[in-house]
């Protein structure tokens, strides 16, 4: 058995861990300075806490945990019922297919012969290529697809599992329409062939659709039956649950931060893992815009500390709502922002073209044209937006909020980050109700390294109504990749002993361990090579682990009460007593 | 919906977390000083990595993760097959029951009537109590138990789930032996009654046993079908997997430490959770006994740092093997050590009595009698053991190893811990091959707060043979409880802002935020109250969060460029400029 780990997960060695811990520590140090307090929640929550909070796609990406122990009577009998429902459905599908085949026989005057089709695939292909050149590929692949799918359905049913339940139906199906073709040499007539294509397409589609639809429901029902817990998918929902559950112990406004792993059954790819850390800071219980100001400062503080220059993009959901009012169709808002986002790359012409294709009316595009030609700094842009949204109450509110935040941030100043008003910023549209943040690293190609926003009623789903919250998140894995690319981990120290003591035998080892004990007491990491192996092997170990110093103490040193200290980089060595040894190793 | 978390899991608030982090940091600081390097492994492993490594009981306690997405054809058809097997089994059980009932009819001359039994339960009870006084309770409960179980089986089958599959059989069963009893008034004869008891017992037992046995297998098979990943159960097996997988990147001997949560589906109780942290340090790749010496020193260093006096118990698996040779039956070794462990409490007489009850021969007890009267310090005891095990090669080797460790530890000295040779120490008997450690806190009732030992071939199961390892573990949750009980967390600081700035409005808030920015730059945690609420409310917030200082800056302060600093504990207040403010808050 070759040892391995599940895809999308990672082992972290000492070096990677040191860099990650540097990130965790830098971020949490700033969190603390800003008055946030850490909490931790369990790795798994009750499924009911998580399910339905992340949309249909999110639900599917949640890792569910199997109930422990043996299945109970209820679970067991529900599984049996699900299988019976599956059986009934498959049985009905087959009955439908048989009906369709009957209809075909009546219309065409003979039954379709799929085995024959397969045997004559190449001949068929030439025939079709001559006759129906414009639709060859599609039809060929339909036929081949049908044969393949037909074979896989057949395999499923003959595998000995479902077949038992449908022996009669399968027998009927295969005998009537597929069997006893070995000695048949008749060919399909051209006109039959033509009639066959749409029919095959229809039957094929019907079987595949119905089976896959049912399989989905079956999967979901069985999963719910035998699983009541699920791994944390993000930190926000568990935080909302925490606030609702502990509301009587909490002093509001509550400022918490949380740095813990989350799990998603996403398809793994570069920078996307199935287990990864999130770093969140949120405040709940106040709608003050000073918090938005503080969060931008917090981003600035962290990325300044990490020496990573970033652009902090700002928007406000209410401005987007105002624009939606202007366009007249709020369901086109995302299409609008996606198109608008391409302004710099493809120009006004192409952007308006894309908007039209997406079904935004000429009239609407005319109305929002000023957004395509925004000029000047953030404040000048805000003025233009304000003028445009003069008739939208909510839109003007958004401009007002954003102005407050930008005005005060300008007065306070940022250390190293750039602030950018970006009305195309729409992340978490259905979630955020006020400010929206997103952070992008400068000088490097990478998605956002952070984001967040305000949500008016996060804890409502857990019964605690009217609690406004605002929060931000740091994308740890992406920040890691960026710092790695820009060589910004240089000052991170990989933990390792300062000195290795060579082992020359029991007496010498004991003498060394006395020194080691003293060094450790002084906070200096050091160790004894465990075996009295050849010196070369021990020095080799020190080199491989990149240990800076080697200490040698043989009979001679013991007699004199000294130690020989060798610098493994420079190669020089010196004799000293224990005090000097501690001084020399401690100073470096 | 009342928000809640799964049983056996915990939310950690800021205070608890601060104490836990103090433990993590203290332990990892010592790990680093001893030359151990941190690694981390994924929260879930492939099931094949974990299953079968912890015994049958362990396997059942592993949390399995459901495969994500919809079930695949193979999984689906295997579930169907499992349900069919279940159906066949239940069908067979029913057939057996029918056969038994037939046999009963032939023997007794009539069929048993269970509904009738139930209706006449009270009369039956009086009847049986008169007739069979000595066995009343047992039999009554058998009958009632049968009726109840019979009803629950019936319910299961009539629930609409399994019933569909067995309509015929169930119909036959109920019609033949139970149905049409409403109008029947015949009573059971006494002699029939007598014959009924053992029969009921037999049929009842058969149904229950077979069904529960099958249900177990069904659970396990379905679980394996739909789950390929499982949550980490301990840190040792993932470490062994890590070493085997990364053997070419690792420098041996490899000293690693790992502090991560593990998950067990154990029944939760005081101090036992379903999610808890383990802290492990191990060395693999050397069999040097200096490592045993180092691990004892490591325990001593950590518990000295935590100010917790402990007893470190030592034993050696080879000494236990020697004793087993002496007793003659190695399977009695655990019984022997368990009995011997009670020596202090119950005395020699009772201990030897217990050994006899457990089947240890008089002869064997005579041979090991010196172990019951060990006298003196660790070394004197070792001499007595050595004499006793003089004919056991492996036993003498164990004494030799333990002597080396104890001798060198005596020369090096321990800071605060007590060393105790304890030949009853047998934890992880099937696992450890040399040294065995266990740590017990003094002055407090609690199980072991740490343990470990040497294992000769841990990575063998992952294909890397002949790698000896030795390691120890810290029981974090128990250490936490002990420190809490002994008030040893006193010096742990709960993270919170040093100062709260009162919010009097936009201008004042901005003025305060400028000071806050400066304070944070200097590393002093502080925050602005987000809303310009009434002063009382803001002060109340500071009090509830136990924030030491409140800073007030209104129009007057802004004019003068000063701040009013109020100590919330003493109640006094003072005016100062920003520099002084920073000095005063930074100094405390």
């Amino acid at each position: 058995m070759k040892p391995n780990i599940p895809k999308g997960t990672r082992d972290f060695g000492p070096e990677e861990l040191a860099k990650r811990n540097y990130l965790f520590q830098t971020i949490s140090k700033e969190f603390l300075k800003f008055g946030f307090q850490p909490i931790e929640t369990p790795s798994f929550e009750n499924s009911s806490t998580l399910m339905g909070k992340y949309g249909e796609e999110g639900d599917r990406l949640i890792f569910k945990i199997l109930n422990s122990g043996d299945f109970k009577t209820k679970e067991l009998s529900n599984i049996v019922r699900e299988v019976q429902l599956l059986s009934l459905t498959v049985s009905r599908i087959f009955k439908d297919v048989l009906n369709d085949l009957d209809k075909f026989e009546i219309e065409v005057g003979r039954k379709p012969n799929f085995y024959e089709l397969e045997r004559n695939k190449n001949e068929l292909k030439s025939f079709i290529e001559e006759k129906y050149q414009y639709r060859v590929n599609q039809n060929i692949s339909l036929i081949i697809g049908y044969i393949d799918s037909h074979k896989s359905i057949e395999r499923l049913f003959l595998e000995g599992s479902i077949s038992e339940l449908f022996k009669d139906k399968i027998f009927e199906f295969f005998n009537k329409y597929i069997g006893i073709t070995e000695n048949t040499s008749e060919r399909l007539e051209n006109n039959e062939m033509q009639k066959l294509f749409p029919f095959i397409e229809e039957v094929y589609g019907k079987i595949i659709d119905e089976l896959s639809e049912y399989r989905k429901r079956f999967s979901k029902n069985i999963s719910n039956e035998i699983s009541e817990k699920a791994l944390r998918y993000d930190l926000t929902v568990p935080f909302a649950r925490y606030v609702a559950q502990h509301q009587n112990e909490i002093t509001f406004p509550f400022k918490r931060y949380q740095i813990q792993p989350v799990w998603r059954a996403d398809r793994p790819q570069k920078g996307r893992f199935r287990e990864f850390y999130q770093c969140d800071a949120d405040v709940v219980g106040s709608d003050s815009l000073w918090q938005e100001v503080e969060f931008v400062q917090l981003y600035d503080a962290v990325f300044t500390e990490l020496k990573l220059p970033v652009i902090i993009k700002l928007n406000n959901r209410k401005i987007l709502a105002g624009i939606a009012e202007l366009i007249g169709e709020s369901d086109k808002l995302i299409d609008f922002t996606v198109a608008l986002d391409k302004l710099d790359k493809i120009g006004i012409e192409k952007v308006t073209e894309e908007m039209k294709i997406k079904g935004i009316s000429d009239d609407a595009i005319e109305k929002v044209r000023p957004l395509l030609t925004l000029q000047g700094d953030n404040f000048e842009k805000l003025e233009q937006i304000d003028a445009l949204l003069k008739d939208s109450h909510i839109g003007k509110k958004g401009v007002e909020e954003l102005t407050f935040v930008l005005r005060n941030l300008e007065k306070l100043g940022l250390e190293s980050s750039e602030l950018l008003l970006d009305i195309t910023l729409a992340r978490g549209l259905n979630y955020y109700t006020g400010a929206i943040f997103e952070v992008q690293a400068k000088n490097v190609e990478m998605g956002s390294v952070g984001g967040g926003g305000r949500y008016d009623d996060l804890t409502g789903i857990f019964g605690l109504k009217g609690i406004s919250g605002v929060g931000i998140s740091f994308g740890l894995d992406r920040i890691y990749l960026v710092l790695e690319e820009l060589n910004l981990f240089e000052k991170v120290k990989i933990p390792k002993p300062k000195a290795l003591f060579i082992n020359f035998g029991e007496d010498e080892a004991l003498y060394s361990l006395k020194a080691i004990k003293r060094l450790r007491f002084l906070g200096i990491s050091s160790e004894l090579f465990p075996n009295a192996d050849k010196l070369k092997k021990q020095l080799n170990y020190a080199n491989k682990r990149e240990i800076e110093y080697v200490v040698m103490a043989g009979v001679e040193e013991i007699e004199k009460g000294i130690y020989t200290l060798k610098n493994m980089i420079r190669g020089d060595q010196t004799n000293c007593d224990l005090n000097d040894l501690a001084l020399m190793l401690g100073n470096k």
Side-chain angles (χ1 to χ4, degrees), chain A:
Chain A
M1 181 179 116
K2 203 172 145 43
N4 220 327
I5 51 176
K7 64 176 175 177
T9 67
R10 295 166 285 176
D11 282 330
F12 295 115
E15 188 173 332
E16 219 166 346
L17 216 48
K19 292 175 182 171
R20 287 169 65 85
N21 285 338
Y22 160 71
L23 286 185
F24 291 138
Q25 277 155 17
T26 304
I27 295 172
S28 56
K29 212 178 89 191
E30 295 301 327
F31 283 167
L32 288 171
K33 283 201 276 183
F34 276 70
F36 291 89
Q37 289 189 305
I39 69 159
E40 287 187 2
T41 61
S43 296
F44 49 74
E45 297 269 351
N46 293 321
S47 296
S48 55
T49 300
L50 304 184
M51 298 301 280
K53 310 297 191 298
Y54 307 104
E56 203 178 311
E57 172 70 2
D59 276 1
R60 285 208 299 119
L61 298 184
I62 290 173
F63 276 115
K64 284 133 202 123
I65 294 172
L66 217 53
N67 293 348
S68 52
D70 301 324
F71 295 139
K72 293 168 203 76
T73 301
K74 191 169 156 273
E75 293 168 345
L76 191 140
S77 85
N78 285 348
I79 293 175
V80 171
R81 197 195 51 228
E82 284 301 323
V83 170
Q84 286 172 332
L85 280 173
L86 174 73
S87 307
L88 288 172
T89 306
V90 175
S91 161
R92 185 181 52 68
I93 293 170
F94 259 79
K95 217 172 124 197
D96 288 353
V97 171
L98 286 172
N99 280 340
D100 283 340
L101 291 172
D102 282 340
K103 249 187 286 167
F104 174 83
E105 195 172 350
I106 292 164
E107 279 175 30
V108 179
R110 69 181 292 279
K111 50 193 172 190
N113 189 322
F114 297 116
Y115 274 156
E116 190 183 41
L117 269 183
E118 195 186 6
R119 255 186 290 122
N120 300 318
K121 213 149 53 176
N122 285 329
E123 286 170 48
L124 253 173
K125 205 183 160 197
S126 335
F127 165 76
I128 295 165
E129 270 172 355
E130 272 172 42
K131 202 79 182 172
Y132 308 97
Q133 273 190 355
Y134 64 99
R135 41 143 71 178
V136 160
N137 292 329
Q138 195 196 344
N139 285 321
I140 283 289
S141 62
L142 258 176
I143 291 173
I144 294 169
Y146 180 79
I147 290 167
D148 285 350
S149 83
H150 159 257
K151 278 199 288 186
S152 80
I153 292 171
E154 181 186 353
R155 196 167 53 238
L156 174 69
F157 279 82
L158 290 178
E159 228 167 25
S161 51
I162 305 190
S163 63
E164 278 296 315
L165 293 169
F166 303 107
K167 219 180 252 165
D168 296 348
K169 288 242 160 47
I170 291 168
F171 190 73
E172 189 185 347
F173 180 82
F174 284 109
N175 265 295
K176 190 165 181 191
Y177 294 101
I178 293 171
I180 326 169
T181 61
E182 291 300 325
N183 300 319
T184 315
S185 62
E186 25 165 343
R187 294 284 165 89
L188 290 172
E189 296 299 322
N190 295 354
N191 64 336
E192 284 180 29
M193 203 60 222
Q194 258 178 302
K195 287 181 188 164
L196 201 53
F197 293 138
F199 171 76
I200 288 173
E201 190 169 9
E202 196 190 328
V203 171
Y204 171 74
K206 187 178 281 178
I207 295 176
I208 297 305
D209 286 357
E210 291 220 34
L211 277 181
S212 81
E213 173 61 31
Y214 189 75
R215 184 190 294 182
K216 253 184 219 164
R217 242 178 40 226
F218 180 75
S219 282
K220 200 179 154 193
N221 292 351
I222 295 251
S223 301
N224 290 345
E225 215 46 70
I226 55 183
S227 159
E228 285 162 358
K229 293 181 287 293
L231 288 176
R232 191 165 50 214
Y233 179 85
D234 73 354
L235 301 178
T236 309
V237 170
F239 171 54
R241 193 266 310 146
Y242 180 96
V243 171
Q245 187 175 333
H246 301 279
Q247 50 185 286
N248 297 325
E249 309 145 36
I250 287 173
T251 306
F252 292 96
F254 180 46
K255 300 172 78 170
R256 88 86 172 76
Y257 79 84
Q258 197 169 349
I259 302 181
Q260 289 193 276
V262 301
W263 296 268
R264 295 183 185 179
D266 232 331
R267 186 187 301 272
Q269 47 182 253
K270 199 205 162 194
R272 193 205 278 165
F273 305 97
R274 293 188 144 191
E275 172 175 43
F276 59 98
Y277 268 76
Q278 287 194 337
C279 308
D280 282 18
D282 294 81
V283 196
V284 288
S286 162
D287 55 5
S288 163
L289 292 171
W290 287 110
Q291 294 168 334
E292 275 82 340
V293 173
E294 288 252 66
F295 276 119
V296 173
Q297 287 192 297
L298 177 53
Y299 266 139
D300 181 50
V302 168
F303 287 111
T304 300
E305 192 64 28
L306 294 174
K307 309 222 181 313
L308 180 67
V310 295
I311 299 170
I312 302 171
K313 294 180 176 178
L314 290 179
N315 196 10
N316 192 300
R317 178 69 178 88
K318 290 167 184 150
I319 290 180
L320 290 172
I323 294 172
E325 279 184 13
L326 213 62
I327 302 177
E329 292 155 293
S330 60
D331 63 325
K332 293 279 186 288
L333 184 58
I334 289 291
D335 291 332
F336 174 81
T337 58
V338 167
L340 186 55
D341 187 36
K342 297 176 185 165
L343 193 61
D344 287 347
K345 281 183 207 135
I346 61 176
I348 288 191
E349 287 310 309
K350 289 241 165 82
V351 166
T352 52
E353 205 173 291
E354 186 173 323
M355 287 177 180
K356 280 176 195 165
I357 292 168
K358 292 290 182 182
I360 299 169
S361 70
D362 288 352
D363 187 39
I365 293 173
E366 215 37 57
K367 272 189 196 159
V368 296
R369 185 163 292 276
L371 294 177
L372 307 184
T373 55
L374 287 180
Q375 295 292 332
D377 65 16
N378 290 334
F379 294 103
E380 288 161 351
K381 282 180 185 167
L382 268 178
E383 268 176 42
Q384 296 160 54
I385 297 167
D386 195 37
L388 184 72
L389 299 179
K390 60 184 184 301
D391 297 328
S392 164
H393 178 71
I394 191 160
K396 281 187 81 69
K397 185 90 178 73
V399 171
E400 201 179 288
E401 288 186 11
L402 205 41
T403 305
F404 179 94
V405 173
L406 285 169
R407 183 175 65 224
N408 282 296
L409 279 169
E410 192 181 52
K411 287 176 184 163
L412 285 165
L414 294 180
E415 292 306 306
S416 69
S417 313
E418 190 183 317
L419 264 185
L420 185 68
L421 166 66
D422 180 0
I423 59 161
T424 69
L425 188 62
R427 51 182 295 145
L429 191 64
N430 298 316
Y431 188 65
Y432 294 130
T433 49
I436 304 175
F437 310 112
E438 190 170 276
V439 185
Q440 219 132 28
K442 285 181 177 178
N443 316 323
V444 63
E445 280 286 318
M446 183 70 65
S448 68
V449 292
R454 179 174 287 277
Y455 34 88
D456 273 347
D457 185 28
L458 182 72
T459 56
I461 38 171
F462 297 109
L464 185 59
K465 304 279 183 196
I467 300 278
S468 183
V470 53
I472 60 171
S473 184
F474 288 83
L476 190 94
D477 287 302
R478 284 198 182 157
I479 296 174
Y480 186 99
L481 290 172
V482 170
L483 295 199
E484 196 73 288
E485 194 173 327
L486 300 177
N487 269 321
L488 291 170
F489 278 129
E490 273 176 342
K491 67 173 177 179
V492 176
K493 279 188 188 159
I494 314 307
K496 64 188 170 195
K498 190 78 183 171
L500 174 77
F501 283 70
I502 301 298
N503 189 334
F504 292 113
E506 185 170 345
D507 290 342
E508 293 88 343
L510 184 65
Y511 178 76
S512 285
L513 270 180
K514 284 178 183 165
I516 289 171
K517 190 181 171 189
R518 177 75 193 150
L519 290 176
R520 287 173 182 164
F521 176 78
L522 296 169
I524 301 162
S525 172
S526 52
E527 63 177 50
L528 170 75
F529 193 82
N531 297 67
D533 289 333
K534 279 187 183 151
L535 181 60
K536 196 178 162 190
K537 186 176 174 187
Q538 299 190 45
L539 291 177
N540 199 23
Y541 170 84
N543 273 328
K544 272 197 180 160
R545 284 194 68 188
E546 297 178 357
I547 298 175
E548 201 178 339
Y549 288 95
V550 152
V551 182
M552 288 169 286
V555 181
E556 204 175 315
E557 278 91 352
I558 297 176
E559 260 175 28
K560 295 182 186 163
I562 58 164
Y563 299 85
T564 299
L565 178 69
K566 181 184 168 78
N567 183 305
M568 292 296 283
I569 298 159
R570 296 192 307 265
D572 59 280
Q573 62 183 56
T574 168
N575 294 334
C576 54
D577 66 10
L578 183 49
N579 279 338
D580 284 344
L581 187 70
L583 276 175
M584 292 175 82
L585 291 174
N587 275 343
K588 310 289 162 128

